[in-house]
Amino acid sequence: MLRLPGVAKGRLGGALAVAPCCRRPPPPHPRTPAAPAVRPLVSTPAVQRSLRHSLQHARLPQRGATPVVVAVAADFAPPSPEQTRGNAVRLAVETLRPDWPLLAFTCLALVATIAFTLAFPLAIGEVFDVVRSQGGLADAPAAAVANPFSGLGAASSVPGSFRTALAKLSACLVLSASGNALVSYCSTLLGERFAHRLKGQLMETIIARPQAFFDSTPKGDLVARLTLDVQVLQATLADFIGQRGFRSMFEVTGALALIAVQQPLLALVSLAITPLLSRLLRSVVVRSSAIIYRRQQVAAEALQYASERLSQVQTVQVFAAEGREAGAFEALDSSGYRMARRYAFFQGIVEGAGRLAVNVGTMALLGFGGLLVIQGRISVGALLAVNVFNLFISIGLSSVAASLGELGKAVGALERVAELVVPGSSSSSSAAPGEAEAAGTSDSGAAAAPHAGGSSSAAASDAAAAGAAPAASASGRVEFEDVWFKYPGTSDWVVHGLNLTLLPGQTLALVGPSGGGKSTIAALLLGLYQPQRGRILVDGQPLPPAADGSSAAVGVGMAAVLQQPMLMAGTVAQQISYGKPGASEEEVLAAARAAHADEFVQQLPQGYGTEVGERGHALSGGQKQRLSIARALLLQSKILVLDEVTSALDVTSERCISDTLRSLTSTKLIIAHRLSTVRRADVIAVVEGGRVAETGSRAELLQLEGGMYRRLVHTADMAWVASGAGSDGSSSGSDDEGGAAGAAAGEPAAAAVAST
Ligand SMILES: Nc1ncnc2c1ncn2[C@@H]1O[C@H](COP(=O)(O)OP(=O)(O)OP(=O)(O)O)[C@@H](O)[C@H]1O
């Protein structure tokens, strides 16, 4: 048996009939690369070179040349800054909560490590004082100056107190180094787990948003929140807990406390610089979080711009717009650069002022401490220890400043994430890394597919399983009852009081001029948008709302092939089983055969295991359409929505697929510009300006004197005759020959004709 990679082996699934009309030798497949590879576009060397080039030659545009606001439609306006801040705090706490044992352990290890670190200056001071008490600070005898190694081998010459002091010093060093290693590991792990969990929540939230959200939100901004912002958070968490923030705060506090206990007078000198530094630190957090929030917005805009242009690189090159596009990207990125420069300048000032304050403190400490030693009020070892403590304090404070700068960055990033994720709304919020897979929420079978996802996939899978049997109980009646719709954020109605009924098993064809509203009607039926007035019923039940996750379509037994056949990186088998990740090999094969895709798939280098590349770039338009059709057919749904699904197919393939579709018992809503595609529909509705201009069977519509459908057919015939190809015959009522002949001659699109 043919083994399909990524597809479960299983029972023979499929009542899909393959129309027998077109058995022909499969064509070669020149477009398939010999060694298909899926690579993120932005990582190709050429792209990197071009981006690097444009960045290296960056001329900074005029101030204010680039708008930095990321557009979000009024319908999806972000929450107020206060709400966002509150959400951000709760989100951080909730995301960290599952890791509290690790967090607590890391903090304990940190405190222990700091204790060993703080013992270090005391141990140094002790070594120094022992050396002094043994006369070690006296002038060296002349013999020792002549031979510095004389007498070093005699163990008896090393005093016991000196050995003890050295042992203490070594213990401090070893324990503090081991503790540091442990804390570093734990804090990095915490950061990674936090980021993993947050990304899961973010993706789950974003992907479940209604279609209107995506219409109004730049994808680059979403990707930036998912990547750049989460990375900032992950790095900051690890840094703040393990490397600089907490550690430095503890060290500074501990060092100050130890100085205060040991040398209260010197502690006062150290403390004198604290108010100045704390003012500086506060301003770092506030200013840097504001700058970084805007900086990330601009970075997202540049990312959006670059990814869109790179995904349309053919158009850019065909219109020789490379220079223009690179310049526009440069201008966008420069805006971010200016903000980063402000941030760097601000950071530099803070850093310099902080160091100056610390150095002044050190000088004062040495001056005052030195005086105390001269007066014999403290030992040299004590002064040394206090100075090492002071070093800790100065290094610690500048680390705290830098870390708080990063924290400000993280606050900005967290706020951007919290604009999308409402704390507690995500089902994956408590899942630790790896738990989702263990719980089986990711794809099975075709699990390696890049489309693996949380609840949406699971929902699709369940629904697909439910819809997999075109059971007798399945009905498929569809009713549009006085449906009115306008796209969110727009003022004009696109669908005006639509009333249509599809009986179970019927085929309804929507035809009409481009922009008339056909695809919008299909999108409404699929639950991608909600009508503002009226309702849509499936088997007498109103469609459930789409806003709570995936569209209502699969749940009520619908499958669709959309106008743009969208494939995602993965194997051919994974494309076909996308709606039902656990589909068996037989189901995939049956669907591929029904969609007349099997022949070309068998010709691909790895058959069903061939990678189709990003967005299926390794396939032709017609091949992509056939895989999209197979994907829908595999679900064996009771309702099929097909929007221009054969527009890129040759005549023979189109007829074969039409035959397959005719043999299905599903209710079908078909949108087509080629009239030959819809000639066999039970009902044809001509949609114009968001209204059904006329409806009836093909024969009825052809008899309508002055009717629009009749005009469309007539104009199509005229155009075809004018092309010198002869009579279509479609108007003569000969479905079989006329459709094929008309299409073969490149029958003009009804929409184009209608608009002439
Ligand atoms: N996401 C959207 N936001 C705002 N307006 C939209 C959106 N999608 C479509 N429209 C508008 O709705 C109207 C109907 O578009 P629709 O795509 O439904 O027409 P159509 O009949 O399917 O066209 P075609 O035959 O060219 O595919 C058009 O005026 C279009 O500009």
Side-chain angles (χ1 to χ4, degrees):
M1 179 183 293
L2 183 62
R3 188 86 185 95
L4 305 186
V7 176
K9 235 171 128 130
R11 73 195 151 75
L12 193 71
L16 292 174
V18 185
C21 63
C22 36
R23 295 270 176 254
R24 58 183 170 172
H29 184 74
R31 303 181 70 159
T32 306
V38 183
R39 232 175 1 186
L41 196 55
V42 285
S43 72
T44 61
V47 171
Q48 284 176 348
R49 262 200 311 278
S50 122
L51 283 180
R52 216 177 298 127
H53 176 84
S54 57
L55 290 172
Q56 275 166 359
H57 296 80
R59 282 172 288 102
L60 299 186
Q62 297 304 304
R63 176 180 281 269
T66 311
V68 297
V69 179
V70 174
V72 177
D75 313 60
F76 298 99
S80 68
E82 294 73 34
Q83 278 174 321
T84 303
R85 198 143 284 186
N87 276 354
V89 174
R90 273 187 294 140
L91 181 64
V93 171
E94 278 186 18
T95 311
L96 259 181
R97 188 176 293 149
D99 279 330
W100 74 262
L102 179 60
L103 180 63
F105 176 76
T106 311
C107 289
L108 277 179
L110 184 64
V111 170
T113 307
I114 289 168
F116 295 128
T117 310
L118 288 177
F120 181 64
L122 298 177
I124 292 182
E126 193 179 329
V127 170
F128 212 80
D129 281 341
V130 168
V131 169
R132 193 163 185 268
S133 67
Q134 301 291 325
L137 292 183
D139 285 344
V145 173
N147 179 11
F149 299 105
S150 67
L152 278 185
S156 57
S157 68
V158 181
S161 56
F162 184 61
R163 274 194 233 151
T164 311
L166 276 184
K168 284 184 192 166
L169 186 60
S170 313
C172 288
L173 287 177
V174 171
L175 290 171
S176 134
S178 317
N180 275 324
L182 185 66
V183 169
S184 170
Y185 170 74
C186 291
S187 59
T188 306
L189 197 63
L190 263 176
E192 293 292 346
R193 289 170 73 88
F194 179 86
H196 178 81
R197 198 172 283 121
L198 196 59
K199 275 191 267 188
Q201 288 182 63
L202 202 46
M203 185 65 179
E204 190 181 337
T205 312
I206 291 173
I207 211 158
R209 289 287 178 118
Q211 192 56 41
F213 170 79
F214 294 100
D215 289 349
S216 58
T217 311
K219 308 287 176 298
D221 181 55
L222 298 177
V223 172
R225 289 179 203 231
L226 202 52
T227 52
L228 303 181
D229 290 328
V230 175
Q231 269 163 21
V232 166
L233 287 169
Q234 177 251 316
T236 307
L237 186 67
D239 176 74
F240 201 78
I241 293 179
Q243 276 122 42
R244 294 187 296 181
F246 275 164
R247 168 195 297 273
S248 303
M249 284 180 198
F250 285 146
E251 273 177 9
V252 169
T253 317
L256 274 173
L258 282 170
I259 298 180
V261 169
Q262 301 222 324
Q263 306 297 335
L265 278 176
L266 293 182
L268 287 179
V269 179
S270 268
L271 278 173
I273 56 169
T274 312
L276 174 62
L277 282 170
S278 47
R279 273 188 75 103
L280 271 170
L281 297 180
R282 254 198 76 211
S283 74
V284 173
V285 178
V286 175
R287 296 285 294 276
S288 56
S289 83
I291 295 174
I292 288 302
Y293 181 89
R294 290 203 306 282
R295 164 88 179 88
Q296 296 290 87
Q297 299 276 41
V298 177
E301 214 176 321
L303 190 69
Q304 157 79 5
Y305 191 89
S307 67
E308 190 184 68
R309 285 341 190 245
L310 293 173
S311 67
Q312 307 286 339
V313 70
Q314 283 186 345
T315 309
V316 172
Q317 290 181 350
V318 163
F319 287 93
E322 297 94 326
R324 186 155 35 95
E325 294 297 359
F329 175 77
E330 176 200 311
L332 261 181
D333 199 59
S334 296
S335 173
Y337 164 77
R338 280 199 305 276
M339 284 184 197
R341 199 175 54 181
R342 267 187 62 204
Y343 176 72
F345 178 74
F346 171 67
Q347 282 280 80
I349 297 279
V350 168
E351 184 88 17
R355 279 185 186 273
L356 183 68
V358 165
N359 291 342
V360 169
T362 309
M363 264 182 61
L365 195 68
L366 264 179
F368 188 56
L371 209 59
L372 292 179
V373 173
I374 291 168
Q375 290 172 356
R377 292 164 71 175
I378 61 170
S379 70
V380 177
L383 179 61
L384 196 69
V386 168
N387 265 290
V388 178
F389 279 137
N390 194 57
L391 205 65
F392 278 7
I393 294 170
S394 46
I395 293 173
L397 283 176
S398 66
S399 285
V400 171
S403 186
L404 288 182
E406 295 297 314
L407 190 68
K409 249 185 183 180
V411 170
L414 186 63
E415 284 176 4
R416 278 171 47 79
V417 171
E419 279 174 2
L420 291 177
V421 181
V422 178
S425 64
S426 166
S427 64
S428 70
S429 59
S430 60
E435 281 176 12
E437 297 93 288
T441 51
S442 62
D443 288 354
S444 59
H451 56 255
S455 60
S456 301
S457 291
S461 173
D462 292 348
S473 63
S475 162
R477 183 185 173 91
V478 175
E479 292 159 276
F480 288 85
E481 283 185 359
D482 192 29
V483 170
W484 291 76
F485 175 72
K486 56 184 161 193
Y487 282 98
T490 65
S491 54
D492 295 334
W493 293 108
V494 176
V495 175
H496 303 250
L498 180 72
N499 285 295
L500 271 177
T501 300
L502 271 117
L503 300 178
Q506 253 190 350
T507 300
L508 167 72
L510 300 182
V511 299
S514 183
K518 304 180 292 296
S519 298
T520 305
I521 294 172
L524 287 170
L525 174 59
L526 290 167
L528 294 174
Y529 297 95
Q530 301 290 298
Q532 282 84 9
R533 290 191 218 155
R535 55 187 195 155
I536 301 168
L537 305 172
V538 172
D539 293 332
Q541 297 298 317
L543 276 181
D548 62 346
S550 54
S551 102
V554 180
V556 295
M558 279 191 253
V561 184
L562 303 176
Q563 201 169 24
Q564 302 292 334
M566 273 303 163
L567 303 183
M568 285 163 254
T571 65
V572 169
Q574 285 167 351
Q575 309 301 322
I576 298 176
S577 62
Y578 185 74
K580 188 179 178 187
S584 66
E585 289 178 17
E586 290 80 8
E587 284 175 292
V588 172
L589 267 178
R593 286 188 181 132
H596 297 272
D598 183 54
E599 286 171 359
F600 89 80
V601 173
Q602 299 283 6
Q603 298 302 307
L604 299 176
Q606 278 94 40
Y608 285 83
T610 306
E611 292 281 338
V612 300
E614 191 179 296
R615 298 182 195 201
H617 73 80
L619 299 174
S620 75
Q623 288 168 339
K624 281 190 239 177
Q625 277 192 333
R626 275 181 272 176
L627 291 187
S628 304
I629 295 170
R631 183 158 68 190
L633 293 184
L634 186 137
L635 293 184
Q636 299 187 25
S637 313
K638 62 182 175 187
I639 299 167
L640 263 178
V641 179
L642 306 159
D643 190 353
E644 285 289 347
V645 297
T646 54
S647 57
L649 293 184
D650 61 85
V651 182
T652 321
S653 302
E654 185 195 12
R655 289 200 60 200
C656 294
I657 287 173
S658 294
D659 289 343
T660 300
L661 295 176
R662 245 164 75 104
S663 70
L664 299 177
T665 54
S666 322
T667 307
K668 292 173 278 292
L669 177 79
I670 296 180
I671 297 172
H673 281 214
R674 271 191 202 163
L675 296 183
S676 58
T677 312
V678 300
R679 64 182 53 236
R680 296 168 181 172
D682 300 303
V683 184
I684 297 175
V686 183
V687 180
E688 191 185 24
R691 293 184 170 87
V692 174
E694 55 195 59
T695 177
S697 69
R698 179 172 173 273
E700 287 166 354
L701 293 185
L702 282 175
Q703 278 166 14
L704 272 184
E705 203 58 51
M708 191 156 178
Y709 183 76
R710 194 178 151 115
R711 248 188 6 244
L712 290 176
V713 171
H714 178 70
T715 320
D717 275 351
M718 289 301 99
W720 184 62
V721 170
S723 76
S727 171
D728 172 11
S730 60
S731 54
S732 70
S734 170
D735 281 353
D736 291 333
E737 293 89 54
E747 187 177 31
V753 173
S755 58
T756 55

